[in-house]
Amino acid sequence: MAEIRLATVEQGRTKIRNVPIAVTPEGFWCCPSPVVFQKTHKAKNPLNKPKPSSPPPPKTTSQKKETTQLIEKKTASTPLRPGVASDGQRNLRSDTSGMSATNVVPERTSRHKIENPPRKVAIEFGEPGTSNMKVVLLGKQGFCVKLSVHKNVLVDNSSFFADKLLEEQSGLSCLEIDDCEDIEIYVETVGLMYCKDMKQRLIKQSVSRVLRILKVAELLGFSLCIKSCLEYLEAVPWVGEEEEEKVVSSVLRLQGEGIGVTPVLKRVSSEVSNPPKDTLSHIMDLVLKSNEERGRREMKTIVLKLLRENNSVPNYAGSADICNETIYASCRSCFNSLLSLFRQATEPEFADKSMDIKDPVVKKISLEADNLSWLLDILADRQAADEFALIWASQQELAALHTKMPIVSRYHVSCITARLFVGIGRGELLPPKEARQMLLQTWLQPLINDYSWLQHGCRSFDRKVVEEGIGRTILTLPLEDQQSILLSWLGSFLKAGDNCPNLQRAFEVWWRRTFIRPYVDAQGNLEQSDNPVTSKE
C-alpha cells in the first residue's frame, strides 16, 4: 500500500459522480456496483443506437406537463446525500446539486457523456452529513474515489488507519492513498466496517471476491473482516483445483502473522497422525475384496491413476518404499488365497460337488487372478515389479496344480504369466537371470496349454504383443537356454499351430546366433589376421 499523505480535495471543474445511498439495517451505506470502477472507459452502452432519420413528433402541452410532474415526483422520492464534510466542502456540494437530474433521466444523457464517463466517484458512509474525514483513493489511469467516513470507525476497525492517524496531526480531515490496485474492493472493505452482520454481506459473494476482500483487509489490519473471510472460506465449497490453490496460498500468507487459519487448512491437511501405509493398505483391501464388478473396475482405474500422479510428485521417493511394501503385502495375500483355492478345486471330491459349491470357488479364482494382474500393473508402472516376477516364478506348487484344473477355471491365471513376459520384453521390469529362467521353466508350458482360451476368452489379450514379449524374454537367456526352450516350443507349435504362441522371430534370432554368427565372427577374425596393421599414424 502506498504512503498516505495529507491532501486537500481537488479544486476545479471536474465533476464527481454521485452514488445514491442505500438504507440498510446498519444505517445509510452504499457501495457502487463494479461497473462504476471499470478501469477502461469505452463506449459500449446500448443507448448509443443511431437515431431514426425522421425527427420525433413534437410533444403536446399535456405530455410536457405529465413529464414534468413525473420528474418532480421521482426527484422528491430519491434520497440525496449531502456534500462531504472536508477541505473541499463547497466544491463537492456544488457538484452534488445536480445529482437528481443524473438519477432521474438517464435516457436523456448526452452521447458525449456516455462516451466519456466521469473518472471520479464520491461515496458517503454512515448517516448523511455526519462524516468527519475524507479518504481519497487514487487508482490507475487517473481514477479517483473520495470516501466520506468517520474517524472513530476507521480507528476502531483498522490498525493501519489508527497508526497513520496517530502519526499525523489530530485535526487531519483528509487522507490520500496513491496507486490503489483494487479500488472497488478497497471501498467495499471500508464499507464492511459499518456492517453489524458481516457474514450476511459475505455470503452473497464469490470465493474469488472474498479472497480480494481478505487481501485488502490484511493490508488495512481489519482483523474482524479477516476473521469473517476465513469463516466464509472454511464453510464454502471450493470449485476446482485452481480455486483451491488460490485459497490455500492466500490463507498460508496469513499463517506467519499469528492469525488462526488452521480451520481452513484442515480441509487440505491433517494434524492427526495417520500413517499413509495404513490408509493405503485399507484402500487396497477394500478394492481387492470387492465383488461388485463395475465399482471394482472403476476404482482400480482411479487408484492406478492416482498412484501414477504420486510418482510424478517431487520428493515422493521417501514414501515410495512404504507404498511398495503395502502393495507387496497385498500381493502375498492374493498368492496365498489363490494357492488355497487351487488346492480346494483339485481335491478328488470337489468334482462331485454341486455347482452351488463349485461356482463360488471358480469365481474367487478369477477374482484373485484379476487382483494379481492389477497389482502387477501398479508395480510395473512404479518400476518395482522385479520381486513380483521372482515370487511368481517360484510358485511351482501352483503351476503343478494348474495342470489338474479345467481350462475354463484356470486360464485367468495364465494372464499373469503373459503380463510378466510382456513387461520383461518391454524392459518394464528387469528380474535377474535366475528368475527369468525359472519363470520360463515353470509357466511357459501352462501358458501354451491355455493359449487357445486366452485368445477367445480374455478381452485384453493381445496375441502379437504377448508373443513378442515371450520371444524377447527367451532371447535374454544364455544361448544354451534359448536352444532348450525354443526346441521344446517347436514341438508344441508343430502340433498345435495357432493354438500355440508363434515364436518364429525369436527362433530366427536364435538360429542366426547359433549357426551364422560364429562363422561370420571367425571370418572376420581371419581377415584381420591376414591384414595386420603395419603402421600407426
Side-chain angles (χ1 to χ4, degrees):
M1 183 177 295
E3 182 65 25
I4 295 181
R5 63 177 183 271
L6 176 63
T8 59
V9 180
E10 180 183 357
Q11 303 284 343
R13 297 181 178 179
T14 305
K15 288 189 177 182
I16 300 175
R17 179 169 180 175
N18 297 293
V19 182
I21 303 172
V23 180
T24 66
E26 290 79 18
F28 292 87
W29 181 76
C30 159
C31 182
S33 65
V35 178
V36 177
F37 295 106
Q38 288 178 351
K39 295 181 180 180
T40 58
H41 306 283
K42 298 181 179 180
K44 294 184 178 180
N45 197 300
L47 298 178
N48 297 338
K49 296 182 179 178
K51 295 182 179 180
S53 57
S54 60
K59 292 185 178 181
T60 61
T61 306
S62 60
Q63 288 177 336
K64 291 182 180 180
K65 185 176 181 180
E66 291 176 1
T67 303
T68 304
Q69 292 176 353
L70 180 61
I71 293 175
E72 292 175 355
K73 184 177 181 180
K74 289 186 177 180
T75 305
S77 62
T78 303
L80 300 182
R81 180 194 55 206
V84 180
S86 62
D87 293 344
Q89 188 172 8
R90 293 182 180 178
N91 290 332
L92 288 175
R93 285 181 176 174
S94 64
D95 290 335
T96 58
S97 61
M99 184 176 67
S100 60
T102 303
N103 293 334
V104 174
V105 284
E107 295 185 359
R108 293 193 176 189
T109 305
S110 66
R111 186 183 185 90
H112 176 73
K113 289 184 179 180
I114 293 174
E115 293 177 352
N116 299 282
R119 303 172 69 86
K120 295 190 178 183
V121 178
I123 303 170
E124 183 174 10
F125 294 100
E127 293 186 15
T130 62
S131 60
N132 56 6
M133 182 178 174
K134 190 180 304 303
V135 175
V136 181
L137 309 177
L138 301 177
K140 297 179 181 179
Q141 300 178 357
F143 196 75
C144 174
V145 176
K146 298 183 179 182
L147 307 178
S148 298
V149 293
H150 302 75
K151 289 184 180 179
N152 63 317
V153 175
L154 297 186
V155 172
D156 292 343
N157 291 279
S158 170
S159 60
F160 180 83
F161 280 122
D163 294 340
K164 290 301 178 182
L165 289 174
L166 288 175
E167 293 176 3
E168 304 293 344
Q169 61 268 33
S170 58
L172 181 65
S173 61
C174 184
L175 292 175
E176 188 174 291
I177 303 177
D178 295 333
D179 299 327
C180 291
E181 295 181 358
D182 200 344
I183 291 185
E184 174 191 348
I185 299 301
Y186 200 111
V187 173
E188 183 164 355
T189 306
V190 173
L192 291 174
M193 297 180 185
Y194 289 81
C195 286
K196 296 179 181 179
D197 192 350
M198 205 174 299
K199 180 180 179 181
Q200 293 299 321
R201 298 286 309 182
L202 294 177
I203 200 171
K204 301 177 182 179
Q205 308 294 342
S206 64
V207 172
S208 59
R209 190 172 182 86
V210 171
L211 290 176
R212 292 164 63 190
I213 295 174
L214 177 63
K215 183 177 180 180
V216 175
E218 179 188 358
L219 295 174
L220 295 179
F222 189 2
S223 57
L224 185 60
C225 183
I226 294 175
K227 180 181 178 182
S228 297
C229 289
L230 291 176
E231 290 176 353
Y232 169 91
L233 295 172
E234 189 276 332
V236 73
W238 306 336
V239 181
E241 294 183 4
E242 183 178 355
E243 186 168 272
E244 178 177 321
E245 289 300 322
K246 289 181 180 179
V247 173
V248 172
S249 60
S250 299
V251 172
L252 284 176
R253 188 178 65 247
L254 301 171
Q255 195 172 27
E257 302 180 9
I259 300 174
V261 298
T262 302
V264 180
L265 295 179
K266 277 187 175 181
R267 190 180 296 191
V268 296
S269 62
S270 176
E271 297 177 354
V272 179
S273 178
N274 188 13
K277 181 178 180 180
D278 295 341
T279 304
L280 179 60
S281 178
H282 182 61
I283 293 172
M284 301 293 284
D285 287 343
L286 289 174
V287 176
L288 294 172
K289 294 178 181 179
S290 172
N291 292 321
E292 206 286 317
E293 183 178 355
R294 180 178 178 181
R296 169 190 172 85
R297 182 176 63 252
E298 292 183 358
M299 286 310 302
K300 282 184 175 182
T301 303
I302 291 174
V303 172
L304 180 59
K305 182 187 74 172
L306 294 176
L307 287 174
R308 284 175 179 169
E309 291 180 3
N310 286 2
N311 293 340
S312 63
V313 176
N315 301 324
Y316 181 72
S319 58
D321 293 339
I322 297 176
C323 185
N324 292 341
E325 290 176 5
T326 303
I327 297 171
Y328 270 111
S330 298
C331 288
R332 293 186 183 91
S333 176
C334 291
F335 282 134
N336 295 333
S337 176
L338 187 61
L339 180 59
S340 175
L341 291 168
F342 265 57
R343 288 171 179 169
Q344 182 181 350
T346 54
E347 291 177 355
E349 62 273 12
F350 184 79
D352 299 331
K353 292 183 178 180
S354 64
M355 295 301 296
D356 294 339
I357 297 177
K358 291 194 293 185
D359 282 350
V361 175
V362 174
K363 289 181 179 179
K364 287 182 180 179
I365 290 174
S366 175
L367 189 69
E368 294 298 347
D370 184 65
N371 286 339
L372 286 169
S373 296
W374 177 59
L375 293 171
L376 176 57
D377 285 338
I378 294 175
L379 291 169
D381 196 67
R382 299 172 63 81
Q383 301 177 351
D386 295 356
E387 186 180 347
F388 187 102
L390 181 60
I391 296 174
W392 187 249
S394 62
Q395 299 292 321
Q396 282 85 7
E397 182 182 358
L398 186 64
L401 295 173
H402 183 274
T403 59
K404 302 177 182 180
M405 293 274 294
I407 296 180
V408 68
S409 303
R410 75 189 187 196
Y411 78 93
H412 298 285
V413 175
S414 293
C415 292
I416 303 171
T417 305
R419 177 65 181 89
L420 280 170
F421 284 137
V422 171
I424 295 173
R426 290 176 173 174
E428 295 175 346
L429 55 155
L430 303 173
K433 180 186 66 176
E434 293 76 12
R436 299 195 304 274
Q437 288 175 329
M438 192 184 307
L439 180 64
L440 287 162
Q441 292 171 359
T442 305
W443 286 107
L444 180 57
Q445 190 57 49
L447 176 62
I448 293 174
N449 296 338
D450 296 346
Y451 207 72
S452 177
W453 277 86
L454 287 172
Q455 294 180 73
H456 301 94
C458 186
R459 296 179 183 177
S460 60
F461 187 81
D462 189 329
R463 174 171 183 166
K464 292 183 178 180
V465 173
V466 172
E467 290 172 353
E468 185 177 10
I470 297 172
R472 289 183 176 182
T473 303
I474 294 173
L475 294 175
T476 63
L477 300 179
L479 197 59
E480 294 79 7
D481 294 326
Q482 296 176 36
Q483 177 178 325
S484 174
I485 295 172
L486 286 171
L487 290 179
S488 176
W489 160 80
L490 183 60
S492 299
F493 183 70
L494 292 174
K495 294 178 182 178
D498 287 342
N499 293 328
C500 178
N502 190 338
L503 307 180
Q504 293 183 30
R505 295 182 62 181
F507 186 83
E508 291 176 6
V509 174
W510 165 79
W511 180 280
R512 295 189 183 97
R513 289 176 178 177
T514 302
F515 298 105
I516 299 177
R517 186 180 181 85
Y519 297 101
V520 173
D521 292 343
Q523 185 66 25
N525 293 334
L526 182 61
E527 290 178 356
Q528 286 184 355
S529 62
D530 292 341
N531 299 287
V533 179
T534 57
S535 62
K536 295 182 179 180
E537 295 182 359

